[in-house]
Amino acid sequence: MTFYQELQLNQAGSKEMLRRSETGKEKMYHLFAYIVKIAITMVFCFAFVTAFSILLGSDNSIVGVVVLLCVMVFRNADFGLCAKETTVLLALFFAIMTFFPHLANQVSPIGGLLLNIVALSALLIFGCHNPFMFNQSTLVLGYLLLYGYDVNGKSYQMRLIGMAVGSLITCVVFYRNHKNRVYKRKMRDVVKEFNLHSSRTRWQLSQILCVPVVLCIAEMCKMPRAMWAGIAAMSVILPFTKDIRYRVNKRIIGNVAGVCCFVALYYLLPPSIYAYIGIIGGIGVGFSVKYGWQAVFNTFGALAIATEAYGLKEAVGLRVIQNVYGVIFALVFCVLFEYGMSKMLAKRNEKETPVLE
């Protein structure tokens, strides 16, 4: 494997290369490649988001984050559909992320609930047909980030331009990388495969219903940063209950640990470099393979922004409350939803089964 090829590996791949090293020299070589990869990624991400912030205004720096996420993920990941249809879908997803979060913020929490359900239905049914690709971590996360950092007036007009450019960039990169892949499945097949007997479909429905409900309740209770609860819920909803429990555990522990580390850094570092705590978190995420550690370092960036708006004490309290609320609600919702679906399907099967006399 060449040095360039090693730079293309994900965290798990790089750590596997380190684990398999037979000599100290070989281990140092792989470690150097890993560090160079993280450094290049961080510089590229920082420059990319900064460019969007300069061109669109600081209120729209989140657009750069969302576009970056989509480009980085979909240059490798696909939707299991032919490239032409997927490219059209990507453009549609960008349109959904552009308009629906903004519209949901303009209406009542109940109106927002309905709009969010419609939007997430399209994203999850057509964009997350394979749960193990974790496309929801990009599409739903991007939607929630734009929802949480909504803008109006001139800033929203600039957001429209930014999302249009981002859509074009993502679609071009995706089609260039995936045009030679052959898939027989088309969009109509995805619709046909939507079946309540399928664990995939029930997982999609859990995401579609639970995340908007989490947001709605948080907003009705006047809780700031409702998107944090939505993101927390989204991140732990997986097809299997045991995996949900594992993630709920790791999310809560990781979030509390992240808050403690952030507070320590906040008091130890001089105020002039507070803005760089988020970058430290980004570097930590880059080195993290396990979900628990990712939860720790993701806290840094979120708190770095929230502290400026609410102060340290309130930001920390909001972070812990929203995350615990989001994951516990998601766990209870998924358990009850799966129980209800099992009962309903069992009754339906009883009615459909003929009685032999």
Side-chain angles (χ1 to χ4, degrees):
M1 181 180 288
T2 65
F3 187 78
Y4 177 77
Q5 289 173 327
E6 195 160 337
L7 291 178
Q8 309 306 307
L9 296 173
N10 58 20
Q11 293 99 317
S14 295
K15 291 197 173 183
E16 178 62 18
M17 295 294 290
L18 283 167
R19 190 185 66 80
R20 289 166 52 188
S21 299
E22 296 179 355
T23 65
K25 185 177 179 180
E26 187 181 353
K27 192 165 191 173
M28 288 301 295
Y29 173 82
H30 293 314
L31 180 61
F32 176 71
Y34 189 22
I35 292 173
V36 169
K37 180 189 71 172
I38 295 297
I40 292 173
T41 302
M42 288 301 300
V43 170
F44 172 75
C45 292
F46 183 78
F48 192 95
V49 175
T50 300
F52 268 79
S53 182
I54 292 171
L55 295 172
L56 305 177
S58 58
D59 288 346
N60 279 313
S61 60
I62 200 65
V63 174
V65 174
V66 172
V67 174
L68 177 65
L69 278 172
C70 291
V71 171
M72 296 286 283
V73 170
F74 296 125
R75 69 192 177 98
N76 294 319
D78 58 56
F79 298 163
L81 303 171
C82 69
K84 288 183 179 178
E85 285 199 355
T86 302
T87 305
V88 173
L89 274 176
L90 269 174
L92 174 63
F93 292 159
F94 266 85
I96 290 171
M97 290 190 290
T98 301
F99 296 108
F100 274 78
H102 181 66
L103 290 173
N105 273 291
Q106 308 307 308
V107 297
S108 67
I110 299 299
L113 170 70
L114 298 177
L115 287 169
N116 289 333
I117 287 175
V118 171
L120 294 191
S121 295
L123 295 178
L124 282 152
I125 292 173
F126 293 103
C128 305
H129 191 67
N130 182 356
F132 301 103
M133 291 293 287
F134 290 100
N135 287 343
Q136 73 278 8
S137 295
T138 302
L139 294 172
V140 180
L141 175 61
Y143 182 93
L144 292 173
L145 288 172
L146 292 166
Y147 178 88
Y149 294 102
D150 189 39
V151 291
N152 291 292
K154 178 69 173 178
S155 293
Y156 184 66
Q157 293 174 17
M158 296 304 292
R159 176 164 295 190
L160 293 176
I161 296 171
M163 289 296 286
V165 172
S167 174
L168 179 62
I169 294 171
T170 305
C171 289
V172 168
V173 170
F174 177 87
Y175 188 74
R176 176 183 175 277
N177 287 15
H178 298 274
K179 62 183 177 181
N180 295 323
R181 293 189 181 185
V182 179
Y183 287 105
K184 294 183 179 180
R185 183 185 288 115
K186 295 184 179 296
M187 282 191 277
R188 63 174 178 269
D189 298 313
V190 173
V191 175
K192 291 178 182 177
E193 291 173 17
F194 190 81
N195 188 324
L196 293 179
H197 290 278
S198 164
S199 59
R200 175 184 59 223
T201 297
R202 296 199 296 274
W203 163 75
Q204 289 171 321
L205 284 173
S206 294
Q207 287 266 6
I208 289 167
L209 297 174
C210 181
V211 174
V213 170
V214 165
L215 292 174
C216 180
I217 293 174
E219 289 177 347
M220 290 178 73
C221 295
K222 306 296 183 184
M223 295 169 67
R225 299 280 169 176
M227 70 165 178
W228 281 352
I231 292 171
M234 175 275 296
S235 72
V236 302
I237 300 176
L238 297 173
F240 304 107
T241 304
K242 66 176 182 178
D243 294 330
I244 297 175
R245 291 195 179 103
Y246 169 82
R247 284 213 165 189
V248 168
N249 247 348
K250 295 297 182 182
R251 182 81 184 193
I252 293 175
I253 295 171
N255 183 64
V256 172
V259 165
C260 293
C261 292
F262 179 88
V263 171
L265 289 172
Y266 190 86
Y267 284 112
L268 290 173
L269 298 175
S272 58
I273 59 174
Y274 283 168
Y276 296 100
I277 297 179
I279 296 176
I280 295 172
I283 294 171
V285 171
F287 280 100
S288 302
V289 175
K290 294 186 177 180
Y291 178 78
W293 283 108
Q294 291 171 0
V296 171
F297 290 112
N298 276 327
T299 303
F300 287 20
L303 282 178
I305 296 171
T307 300
E308 293 182 12
Y310 302 107
L312 179 63
K313 185 176 180 180
E314 187 172 350
V316 165
L318 280 173
R319 181 70 183 178
V320 173
I321 291 170
Q322 292 282 31
N323 270 264
V324 172
Y325 154 62
V327 297
I328 296 298
F329 186 95
L331 175 61
V332 174
F333 180 94
C334 290
V335 170
L336 293 178
F337 181 80
E338 186 63 31
Y339 177 78
M341 290 298 299
S342 299
K343 288 289 185 182
M344 184 190 76
L345 292 173
K347 287 183 179 180
R348 180 185 293 182
N349 290 337
E350 286 177 5
K351 290 180 180 179
E352 294 176 354
T353 303
V355 178
L356 299 177
E357 295 182 358

